[in-house]
Amino acid sequence: MQKSPLHPFSATIMAWYAEHQRELPWRQTKDPYAIWLSEIILQQTRVAQGLPYFERLISSFPTVSDLAEAPEASLLRLWQGLGYYSRARNLQKAAQMVMRDFAGVFPQSYDEIIRLPGVGPYTAAAIASFAFDEAKAVVDGNVYRVLSRVFAIETDIASSAARGVFTSLAQSLIPMQDPATFNQAIMEFGALQCTPAPDCSDCPLRVSCAALSVGRVAELPLKSKKTKVKEIEMNYLVIEQNGQLLVRERTEKGIWKGLWEFYLIEDSCDWLPFQRQALKSPPVHLLSHRKIHCDAWYVQVPDNFELEIPEGYGWMSPSDFESKGKPVLLLNLITDNLDCPILQDISPTYL
DNA sequence: ATCCCGACTG
DNA sequence: CAGTCGGGAT
């Protein structure tokens, strides 16, 4: 077999990976379905947080067919607490596309894989290399960090040019004889060794790292854009009548689409149908682009009173509501107010 | 308080 | 191409 020479960088990180890699369930398989599932979970999510979700999802939906046929609500319930819920909705759309357009066989090339919803350049390269040994370099946040430092690249990673610059470089470094291990190695290296605030003293690249030699490690990678945070107010009324709760699914575009919630008043809470009991407010809830101030009240509606149901809302039993996916903000509200009997009944079994 | 992480949408 | 989409670690 013809062997092209290995770049010193590639040799070093692959040797490092052989020593330091974590044992992770999706690294013990070549099953593209399991690898795809793990990669979607790991988008914008750290391994420690994603791991239990992977275990629950793969055992609930062992095959792409199981996932395609699952009710969306049960998928979102399993995804609860992981954030970026469009990932779960796209995951199922993609599973249905595999069944319909690929006859149930997971697509086997980068060009086909990237057609799946929720799969972009990074994820397609990851699946194509890990499952099918296609020599496509992955470029994720770890790769930006590692390459910008080792090669002292000052390209702004928020710029439109960045992806091309880093993809070309990574593609020039990937060894044809083992692209999968190279891709795993460079990301694991970014996750464990070349971290945002790294300890360079025991780094295997410390003698060749360009950023370290010029004292630019802390400044790289360069990133210009910062997201502005909008402050919003959410007032929840936990409305109970006959042991049922007034709830709705968030169907409009925006945050938490597909998740469920109590009666929500976005602005000031001046609707006072009956005597209300203040609940303990959850702490200010921070998203990347939202700062949510939340207040909540409990309202018991007399059994024989005919309440006018607001548009989009309906009555639901606590146990059915428990089985729906809810934002972490509401899970916090529930667990902070377990002295309220009906909230005990929807206390989540896990986050 | 600040930073981390991909893909889609309009 | 700028804005949107969550949650957690440090």
Side-chain angles (χ1 to χ4, degrees):
Chain A
M1 169 175 152
Q2 191 181 341
K3 234 178 140 183
S4 52
L6 203 54
H7 192 285
F9 167 84
S10 310
T12 303
I13 59 157
M14 289 170 79
W16 175 92
Y17 180 69
E19 285 275 312
H20 295 91
Q21 64 172 292
R22 292 167 289 184
E23 295 241 332
L24 298 170
W26 49 85
R27 288 182 179 160
Q28 322 292 320
T29 179
K30 282 278 187 184
D31 175 10
Y33 168 68
I35 290 167
W36 166 60
L37 179 59
S38 75
E39 288 301 335
I40 300 298
I41 290 171
L42 293 176
Q43 286 173 5
Q44 312 298 79
T45 302
R46 284 175 165 74
V47 165
Q49 191 198 357
L51 191 49
Y53 287 86
F54 176 81
E55 302 286 13
R56 288 192 292 262
L57 282 158
I58 199 76
S59 59
S60 299
F61 312 118
T63 68
V64 67
S65 162
D66 297 319
L67 179 58
E69 289 165 12
E72 190 189 79
S74 60
L75 178 58
L76 282 167
R77 177 61 179 81
L78 285 162
W79 204 269
Q80 171 176 284
L82 205 47
Y84 288 102
Y85 298 93
S86 64
R87 289 182 292 171
R89 300 193 304 270
N90 282 333
L91 193 68
Q92 188 165 43
K93 279 190 209 131
Q96 290 162 353
M97 187 183 293
V98 170
M99 297 310 292
R100 193 180 56 246
D101 299 350
F102 295 95
V105 180
F106 203 93
Q108 314 210 346
S109 69
Y110 176 92
D111 291 329
E112 287 183 322
I113 294 167
I114 202 170
R115 288 160 48 193
L116 301 173
V119 175
Y122 161 74
T123 307
I127 300 168
S129 64
F130 299 157
F132 304 109
D133 295 296
E134 189 173 336
K136 278 278 188 183
V138 292
V139 179
D140 74 342
N142 292 306
V143 175
Y144 280 140
R145 194 165 54 248
V146 172
L147 293 182
S148 69
R149 286 171 175 169
V150 173
F151 297 94
I153 299 166
E154 301 275 342
T155 304
D156 180 358
I157 64 169
S159 70
S160 50
R163 169 156 289 279
V165 169
F166 284 90
T167 302
S168 304
L169 176 55
Q171 197 63 39
S172 75
L173 296 167
I174 195 169
M176 299 305 290
Q177 60 268 29
D178 196 354
T181 302
F182 172 85
N183 278 343
Q184 296 276 21
I186 190 169
M187 291 195 290
E188 191 80 332
F189 189 76
L192 299 182
Q193 175 67 49
C194 197
T195 57
D199 173 8
C200 300
S201 66
D202 63 346
C203 177
L205 290 167
R206 64 189 175 284
V207 290
S208 57
C209 177
L212 185 60
S213 70
V214 295
R216 298 272 303 154
V217 169
E219 284 69 44
L220 293 176
L222 239 53
K223 188 180 180 185
S224 64
K225 269 182 255 174
K226 41 189 150 193
T227 50
K228 52 184 186 299
V229 177
K230 198 184 297 178
E231 298 204 25
I232 59 175
E233 198 176 327
M234 288 186 162
N235 299 291
Y236 279 110
L237 295 184
V238 179
I239 300 178
E240 176 186 358
Q241 186 180 39
N242 293 313
Q244 303 272 104
L245 288 159
L246 191 65
V247 299
R248 72 154 178 173
E249 181 184 5
R250 293 178 65 93
T251 54
E252 71 277 22
K253 68 186 173 104
I255 63 171
W256 300 334
K257 184 179 174 192
L259 303 191
W260 289 69
E261 65 185 358
F262 300 117
Y263 184 72
L264 172 66
I265 299 169
E266 300 254 12
D267 305 316
S268 66
C269 187
D270 52 4
W271 188 61
L272 304 171
F274 296 96
Q275 199 168 9
R276 58 184 181 173
Q277 171 197 330
L279 293 170
K280 187 174 180 295
S281 297
V284 170
H285 194 73
L286 296 168
L287 309 179
S288 56
H289 56 308
R290 293 284 185 280
K291 184 174 181 179
I292 305 173
H293 302 269
C294 178
D295 285 305
W297 295 269
Y298 171 72
V299 178
Q300 171 119 43
V301 179
D303 285 358
N304 53 7
F305 185 86
E306 289 218 18
L307 190 75
E308 191 186 331
I309 308 290
E311 175 77 27
Y313 287 85
W315 296 106
M316 183 177 281
S317 72
S319 64
D320 284 350
F321 189 57
E322 198 283 331
S323 75
K324 303 297 187 185
K326 295 170 284 295
V328 166
L329 169 60
L330 280 190
L331 300 179
N332 290 337
L333 173 67
I334 292 164
T335 53
D336 287 352
N337 289 281
L338 292 180
D339 53 321
C340 183
I342 196 149
L343 293 183
Q344 266 181 36
D345 298 337
I346 49 178
S347 177
T349 51
Y350 59 82
L351 286 187

